[in-house]
Amino acid sequence: MKFISVNKKHIALFLLGQVFFTNCKKESPTDRDDWELTFREEFSDTALNKNIWKTIFPWGQYYSEDYKQLFIDSAFLINGGVLHIRAKRDTVMALVHDDNYNYSLKEFYLSTGMLQSEEGFSQQYGYFEIRSKVPYGSGFWPAFWLMAHSGWPPEIDVFEISGRQPNRLHMANHFRDKQGVHRQNTITI
């Protein structure tokens, strides 16, 4: 199998900043007759399939001290079945909102891309697979998340990698406890 392989309904895929997708040459560990392949993205066109992929969070363009980059549509290049998400140092102005949905014009010094499939593909259960190269360097934070349609949390951070520590993989499971309080289990390897 190649790229993302999944089964069933309701989890959206999020791919953030500077992730390079490449073909998987190995067979998937789930190549079994009793599994049904429900989604596969080969990036075989020259442009993103906008029926599947959106290039902004469902909640819009967001600004916080943690997100100092602007996500733009022109950050993507597909070549030979490989999706490149580029980051670029430039100065860009954009109307963005904060945690309270207060909008303001902000200046950004880095532009990059993010992909999410909330409206184009989702499923509740299954096997999710990605093959990617991730960059290293200050300011990069590539990630692969699984998120629910029903709001946040729940969220499964399949991986997040700090560009400053590219050999360390961060994973997390965000959920609400019985009292409705956000909790998370995390691991770094």
Side-chain angles (χ1 to χ4, degrees), residues 135-166:
Y136 60 90
S138 181
F140 294 113
W141 192 272
F144 178 39
W145 301 340
L146 304 176
M147 297 178 74
H149 277 286
S150 58
W152 187 89
E155 171 186 327
I156 299 171
D157 298 340
V158 178
F159 75 75
E160 294 183 347
I161 299 172
S162 168
R164 289 183 184 178
Q165 298 175 312

Side-chain angles (χ1 to χ4, degrees), residues 36-154:
E36 174 190 351
L37 180 64
T38 57
F39 179 78
R40 175 181 279 176
E41 175 62 274
E42 302 289 342
F43 296 108
S44 54
D45 294 331
T46 57
L48 285 175
N49 181 340
K50 295 291 188 154
N51 293 322
I52 298 171
W53 301 110
K54 303 298 180 244
T55 58
I56 194 165
F57 286 111
W59 50 86
Q61 186 69 50
Y62 176 72
Y63 175 82
S64 76
E65 289 304 311
D66 295 329
Y67 290 106
K68 293 185 179 181
Q69 72 277 348
L70 181 67
F71 296 120
I72 59 173
D73 285 338
S74 60
F76 305 96
L77 171 69
I78 298 175
N79 187 1
V82 178
L83 170 67
H84 301 269
I85 305 176
R86 299 171 293 201
K88 183 177 168 186
R89 289 188 192 276
D90 55 2
T91 302
V92 215
M93 298 294 289
L95 187 63
V96 297
H97 69 79
D98 62 16
D99 288 334
N100 298 315
Y101 286 87
N102 297 314
Y103 284 85
S104 62
L105 195 60
K106 293 283 186 184
E107 189 171 49
F108 294 86
Y109 302 102
L110 180 67
S111 62
T112 188
M114 67 84 59
L115 291 178
Q116 58 98 353
S117 68
E118 183 180 33
E119 296 170 15
F121 174 80
S122 65
Q123 71 179 35
Q124 188 170 2
Y125 302 107
Y127 172 84
F128 300 83
E129 178 179 290
I130 183 175
R131 180 162 173 172
S132 65
K133 289 183 181 180
V134 295
Y136 60 90
S138 181
F140 294 113
W141 192 272
F144 178 39
W145 301 340
L146 304 176
M147 297 178 74
H149 277 286
S150 58
W152 187 89

